[in-house]
Amino acid sequence: MPPADFPAQLHDSVSCSIAAAARYGIPANIMLAVAESEAGSPGLWVKNRNGTSDVGSMQFNTAYLATLGKYGITPQAVAAPGCYAYELAAWRLRQHIQKDQGDLWTKAANYHSRTPIHNVRYRQALITKSARWAEWLERCTAGSCGYVPTQRLTSFATPGHSAQQPQQTVARPGYVPRAIVAIPAR
């Protein structure tokens, strides 16, 4: 997990992404790349040209959230601070990786769009960002995280920090996250 002196928004994004990736059995570097690409924040609502909005830290589209309403998932819950949006995003990524057609990167890019032109662009960005995050995670495992590999924060030093991996758990098939879950610190 990132050190306590990370900026709060970045700490939540990295911590929540890693914990959610571990919980849903998806690559942490891909989850971190999606979180970076979405570039959302708690409470953020971005209006789209088609009348929908993208909501919260992981920028869930309100049209997609409408289909999840039957599980009690609301745009307000997704927009709230905390790890819930990351948990829901990891669950969604796992669904794409397990059920969609194509290679891993195309499946992961389906998080953003299945429309080929948008998927290809997002896919390429994910590949680049995932490689940077994989290197960062490797350095953290070795005890020296260094800078955070995002385009927005590229020189935040964290020398000597040792990352702790969250406990690996696998969600049961068909499970949809319905509540904000606190992951206990180790």
Side-chain angles (χ1 to χ4, degrees):
M1 293 298 173
D5 58 348
F6 262 34
Q9 182 181 357
L10 185 59
H11 183 277
D12 288 349
S13 178
V14 173
S15 297
C16 293
S17 291
I18 292 171
R23 179 176 179 148
Y24 289 94
I26 61 171
N29 61 315
I30 293 176
M31 182 68 192
L32 287 160
V34 170
E36 178 184 353
S37 296
E38 294 304 319
S41 61
L44 180 65
W45 288 66
V46 177
K47 194 79 163 161
N48 297 316
R49 284 182 277 190
N50 65 1
T52 64
S53 294
D54 294 331
V55 180
S57 298
M58 294 301 288
Q59 292 292 276
F60 279 96
N61 189 279
T62 52
Y64 178 70
L65 291 174
T67 65
L68 295 179
K70 64 184 174 184
Y71 299 107
I73 297 169
T74 66
Q76 293 73 21
V78 171
C83 290
Y84 181 67
Y86 298 91
E87 291 278 328
L88 190 60
W91 169 80
R92 182 175 173 189
L93 275 169
R94 181 182 167 108
Q95 300 302 307
H96 286 303
I97 290 169
Q98 289 181 337
K99 297 177 181 180
D100 292 357
Q101 298 295 314
D103 66 15
L104 174 65
W105 299 108
T106 300
K107 293 174 182 184
N110 285 344
Y111 179 92
H112 176 70
S113 177
R114 288 187 170 146
T115 304
I117 191 167
H118 301 300
N119 184 284
V120 167
R121 277 188 280 214
Y122 197 84
R123 179 186 185 277
Q124 189 57 47
L126 278 184
I127 291 169
T128 301
K129 291 172 183 178
S130 291
R132 286 195 323 262
W133 280 110
E135 290 172 12
W136 183 81
L137 288 164
E138 188 68 31
R139 282 194 312 272
C140 285
T141 302
S144 177
C145 293
Y147 68 92
V148 177
T150 67
Q151 293 175 351
R152 291 179 293 161
L153 295 170
T154 57
S155 63
F156 192 82
T158 57
H161 171 66
S162 177
Q164 295 178 357
Q165 294 299 321
Q167 183 177 358
Q168 180 86 11
T169 59
V170 179
R172 62 189 181 275
Y175 172 77
V176 177
R178 292 183 178 87
I180 298 172
V181 177
I183 305 295
R186 293 177 75 180

